[in-house]
Amino acid sequence: MAANFWNSSHYKQLLDPEEVEVVHDLDKERGISIDDFKLIKFHMSTHIMKLAQHIKVRQRVVATAITYMRRVYIRKSMVEFEPRLVALTCLYLASKAEESIVQARNLVFYIKRLYPDEYNKYELKDILGMEMKVLEALDYYLVVFHPYRSLSEFLQDAAINDVNMNQITWGIVNDTYKMDLILVHPPYRIALACIYIASVHREKDITAWFEDLHEDMNLVKNIAMEILDFYENYRTITEEKVNSAFSKLALKP
């Protein structure tokens, strides 16, 4: 199960949930709560996803960009590192790290078309200037392992001949990047949690297959519960809440 992962910088950087859910002092001074913190990261994750659809990059690039963005805010405050510029820069950096390079000028062009009011002030020089700051915040660790490879192998191994279930599983994995799971849990375990949720939803009994993996199902089910809690809370996200969170940073969303 992702043998190389255990020797990677990604594994060494895994954090406890308590370490991820920390609002920096500068942000606290602006009145940013833990809920605001999560909401802003969620909002910027969706921006990265939408922009990526227009510039047509692989999902892996999107996932890496969001991981970079979330890693940045482990070390840096949102007051210091403006979320919109960080998100844009992380997508640019991820495209290079994943060898699917997107020109920075194209990012600027498309982001201004998608969100003219929010990104109007950003130019090419801003992305290039922020790139080095993001690299320093990441401590130059750019390797990211994702659940996708494990997911593909697991689905094949489980011999699940249910197209709908497979599609649901892939969709859930993509949704996990709207959360901080990739900073806390091994990617293969996230993949298993997504399969577990999809199997329950589709009423597929794959208990025997899970048992053959000799994986701690309590850990898998805990991740599944985190994902389901996210879906439940997602329903309560409103534009008003987003506006309120960004207003505390003196940023208009």
Side-chain angles (χ1 to χ4, degrees), residues 175-194:
D175 284 342
T176 64
Y177 287 91
K178 298 173 183 176
M179 312 163 59
D180 287 317
L181 293 182
I182 196 66
L183 304 184
V184 178
H185 303 289
Y188 84 90
R189 196 169 285 152
I190 296 174
L192 288 175
C194 295

Side-chain angles (χ1 to χ4, degrees), residues 155 160-170 172 193-206 228:
L155 290 175
I160 300 171
N161 299 315
D162 184 332
V163 174
N164 288 334
M165 177 176 162
N166 289 347
Q167 289 177 341
I168 290 170
T169 307
W170 283 98
I172 296 171
C194 295
I195 293 173
Y196 176 76
I197 293 172
S199 69
V200 172
H201 179 75
R202 294 290 294 173
E203 298 182 345
K204 293 282 184 179
D205 186 0
I206 55 174
L228 293 174

Side-chain angles (χ1 to χ4, degrees), residues 56-101:
K56 295 180 171 45
V57 295
R58 294 176 298 149
Q59 178 60 30
R60 184 180 179 86
V61 176
V62 177
T64 296
I66 293 173
T67 304
Y68 288 169
M69 183 267 294
R70 292 179 178 277
R71 282 180 177 176
V72 165
Y73 290 118
I74 296 298
R75 298 186 174 187
K76 301 295 180 180
S77 74
M78 292 181 171
V79 171
E80 294 177 291
F81 281 57
E82 193 176 42
R84 292 187 185 83
L85 183 55
V86 168
L88 202 56
T89 304
C90 285
L91 183 54
Y92 174 57
L93 186 58
S95 75
K96 294 197 291 185
E98 297 293 350
E99 299 181 346
S100 183
I101 300 176

Side-chain angles (χ1 to χ4, degrees), residues 45 47 69 100 155 162 171 191 198 215-216 246:
S45 297
H47 272 208
M69 183 267 294
S100 183
L155 290 175
D162 184 332
E215 178 67 17
D216 187 336
F246 273 90

Side-chain angles (χ1 to χ4, degrees), residues 80-223:
E80 294 177 291
F81 281 57
E82 193 176 42
R84 292 187 185 83
L85 183 55
V86 168
L88 202 56
T89 304
C90 285
L91 183 54
Y92 174 57
L93 186 58
S95 75
K96 294 197 291 185
E98 297 293 350
E99 299 181 346
S100 183
I101 300 176
V102 176
Q103 296 298 322
R105 63 175 63 90
N106 289 340
L107 290 177
V108 173
F109 173 76
Y110 280 108
I111 201 66
K112 288 187 175 182
R113 286 185 59 184
L114 284 171
Y115 307 102
D117 295 332
E118 299 180 51
Y119 289 87
N120 186 54
K121 67 179 181 178
Y122 297 124
E123 302 295 342
L124 175 62
K125 62 180 177 61
D126 297 310
I127 295 178
L128 299 180
M130 179 56 77
E131 182 182 13
M132 184 54 65
K133 294 179 180 179
V134 167
L135 280 168
E136 290 175 354
L138 296 173
D139 206 15
Y140 300 93
Y141 288 124
L142 301 181
V143 173
V144 180
F145 282 76
H146 297 289
Y148 299 115
R149 181 176 179 180
S150 296
L151 178 62
S152 181
E153 294 173 352
F154 285 144
L155 290 175
Q156 184 176 4
D157 183 62
I160 300 171
N161 299 315
D162 184 332
V163 174
N164 288 334
M165 177 176 162
N166 289 347
Q167 289 177 341
I168 290 170
T169 307
W170 283 98
I172 296 171
V173 169
N174 289 339
D175 284 342
T176 64
Y177 287 91
K178 298 173 183 176
M179 312 163 59
D180 287 317
L181 293 182
I182 196 66
L183 304 184
V184 178
H185 303 289
Y188 84 90
R189 196 169 285 152
I190 296 174
L192 288 175
C194 295
I195 293 173
Y196 176 76
I197 293 172
S199 69
V200 172
H201 179 75
R202 294 290 294 173
E203 298 182 345
K204 293 282 184 179
D205 186 0
I206 55 174
T207 304
W209 178 77
F210 274 116
E211 290 176 350
D212 287 342
L213 294 177
H214 302 293
E215 178 67 17
D216 187 336
M217 284 305 295
N218 287 327
L219 295 176
V220 173
K221 290 178 181 180
N222 286 341
I223 297 173

